[in-house]
Structures are given as C-alpha cells and as structure tokens.
Amino acid sequence: MSDEAARAVIADLCRIPNPQAIDRTAFVELGGVEQFVSIRGRSTTNPVLIVCHGGPALPSLPSSWIWQRGVEDYFTVVNYDQRASGKSAADVDDEIDLSIDRYVADLVELIAWVQGELGVTRVGVLGHSWGSIIGVTLAERRPDLLWGYVGVGQVISGPENEVESFAHAVRSATADQNKDAVAELAALGDYPGAQPLTLQRIVVCRKWAQHYGGLSAHRSGSAYFTESVALSPYYSEEQRELIGAGQRATMPRVLSQLLEFDARDRTAFDVPVLLFLGRHDFTTPTAPVERWIERVTAPSKKVVWFENSAHLCMHEEPGRFVVNLVTLALPLAAVA
C-alpha cells in the first residue's frame, strides 16, 4: 500500500460522520498572527479541551490520529499550530514575537475565540512538553478561563531537566558499556556546566538519553511518532515541510527560554491541576516535577503515573490516557 492510499484509509477512519459532531478548521488571528485551528469532537455538548503542543514548533495535530479519536468521544478537542509552527509558519519573519508571554497571550485570545464560537464559558488546557510551559503559566495567571489544567511531560525547571537527562544518559551508557556513547557524553564536560549550552551539546545529550528510553519507554527510537506525520490525513506534503521550516525558525530563538524556564516557586493555583507523567521520561524528567507538585496548593491536584511510558504517554499508553482524562478531567468540566 502506498503512503497516499494509507493516508486515505486513515482519513476515512478519522471522519466524524454523526450529525451531532463537529469537525472544523480555521485560520484565526491571534496576537496579529494567523494561526491554524482544528476543532473535533463527537458532540458539541461535550466540554472543550485545548491541546497546547510541544516542540517548540512541533504541532500535535499531525500525529493526533494515533491517539485522539478516543478523547473526541468525551471532549471537543481544539488543536492549534502555535505561531511559527506547522501551518502557522507559512509567513514567518524575523520580527515575529516568540516570547513565552506572547505565546500565553495567544492562548488567551484563542480561548476568547473558542468561547464565542462554541458558546462555552471555560475550557480545559492540556499542555505537553514545551506546551506545558505555556499551559502552566496560563493556569497561574488566568484561572478564570479554565475548568482545569492537565500537564503532560510537564516542564518546571529547565536547568534541572538538563542535569537529570544527562545523568540518565551517562548512567545508561555506562551500564550498557557503550564506549561511543560514554565518549560523546564525556566530551560534553561538566554538563550543562558553565559553558554555553549550545544546540550541538544539547543534541548529544538528548540523543543518548532518548536512545536509552527517555523519549519512548523501552525503545531506542520513536519512529512511530516522528514518522507519523507522513501518514497524517491533516497535512499535505507542502504543509508537512512547513513543520521543519517552523522549527528551524523557532528553535534558535525559543530554546534559551525553554532551558531557562523556572517555575519552582510558582506553587499557588486557583484551578485544578492534573499531571500525567511517564515513569521513564528523561526528555522532560519527572524528578523536578515531583518536588514541585508536593508544594503546590490548588482546589485539587493529582498525579497520574504512566508506568510504561516516557515522554509520549498519549501515544505509548493511549487507553490509560483516555481513561484518566474521562475519570479525572471530565468531572472537573462538569462542575465548572
């Protein structure tokens, strides 16, 4: 079967033909920038859950066909390609604002648009990886907009993440007697240390941390995730190329913000907080998150551990992911 035929099958699978469903796309101006928005769900009466994707500049919609269909039975799911990401990257220029505050303000504007379009008062936000920085910042600043916040692969301390990720890579490579890996990691010196934390140094650390299951548990690779965009029914070949273009434009300007992000002292929330954490995640390591959530005060808080997952628990354990959203998040929406 060709990729084109496979995409046609997946597109047919992902159709939502029932009359009560919603399946809409639009370009919406957020912060003066046109951003692509997808709205999908089995019933327009279901609560709204906005997915704030990671990367940076790695849209969630292309791979959503793997895991999202079950979620759509219970929630109206909104995906959006953040500024300079995916379909929103067609007209990226050097003047575009890529600050965390601007990303958060975009999300506030998106929620206002969704409120008007769907007639809802509050929404849930699910932030994954880089998107969890945007999501947790919004949850702290604008709890009035939310019935709940779900952090997946939550980032709390960029500096601590690098230390934990490097330690996992060294520990695993040493136990495996992988001389090449040990040599490459040793060449990084005191990591992250006082040297400039260049993209090249980060790539070496990530390469080996992920080789030893830090991205997908018990796997040395994650082709099921990285290559899923090739079969996505939501992106043409030209649009798929925009993903890479957006990452190249975004990473040099956003990476330092990701690495320097520190929310360890931001512990007071007026919105329920759920954390979905992969036990083997060393892409955004969980140790800093565990220490943080112990000190968090919120109307309710809950940590769900995905024992057979690393950074991609919605892909690695999709059934458990849906069950916990329905069991823990849906009741929050009902009382908001």
Side-chain angles (χ1 to χ4, degrees), residues 161-194:
N161 281 358
E162 293 306 304
V163 172
E164 296 279 350
S165 183
F166 181 70
H168 167 70
V170 171
R171 183 169 60 245
S172 301
T174 302
D176 192 33
Q177 298 183 3
N178 186 331
K179 294 180 180 179
D180 290 340
V182 170
E184 287 190 23
L185 292 165
L188 297 179
D190 182 20
Y191 185 92

Side-chain angles (χ1 to χ4, degrees), residues 196-270:
L197 197 52
T198 63
L199 183 58
Q200 182 180 10
R201 297 181 75 218
I202 294 167
V203 165
V204 172
C205 177
R206 288 288 189 276
K207 178 176 77 170
W208 292 113
Q210 294 179 2
H211 175 80
Y212 288 107
L215 180 62
S216 294
H218 313 299
R219 293 175 181 255
S220 60
S222 301
Y224 71 90
F225 170 66
T226 58
E227 302 301 321
S228 62
V229 64
L231 296 177
S232 175
Y234 307 123
Y235 284 68
S236 67
E237 181 177 355
E238 183 179 356
Q239 290 166 340
R240 292 195 296 272
E241 291 176 355
L242 282 175
I243 297 174
Q247 289 180 310
R248 289 189 292 274
T250 300
M251 286 296 286
R253 297 169 58 187
V254 173
L255 186 61
S256 61
Q257 299 180 75
L258 172 61
L259 297 174
E260 295 168 4
F261 182 76
D262 191 344
R264 285 174 289 185
D265 292 332
R266 293 157 57 177
T267 57
F269 292 84
D270 292 324

Side-chain angles (χ1 to χ4, degrees), residues 140-161:
E140 181 190 33
R141 294 179 183 177
R142 294 299 307 271
D144 57 300
L145 300 176
L146 305 179
W147 49 254
Y149 169 66
V150 184
V152 183
Q154 181 68 51
V155 178
I156 290 300
S157 172
E160 287 189 343
N161 281 358

Side-chain angles (χ1 to χ4, degrees), residues 27 35 59 79 107 130 135 162 204 215 248 295 304:
F27 278 92
Q35 298 179 45
N79 282 279
L107 183 52
W130 152 259
E162 293 306 304
V204 172
L215 180 62
R248 289 189 292 274
R295 299 183 292 111
V304 180

Side-chain angles (χ1 to χ4, degrees), residues 26-37 80-81 83 88 102 105-114:
F27 278 92
V28 180
E29 185 173 308
L30 307 173
V33 175
E34 293 285 309
Q35 298 179 45
F36 180 77
V37 178
Y80 73 111
D81 291 6
R83 55 178 50 221
S88 304
R102 183 62 260 173
D106 284 354
L107 183 52
V108 170
E109 292 186 29
L110 174 62
I111 292 172
W113 181 81
V114 167

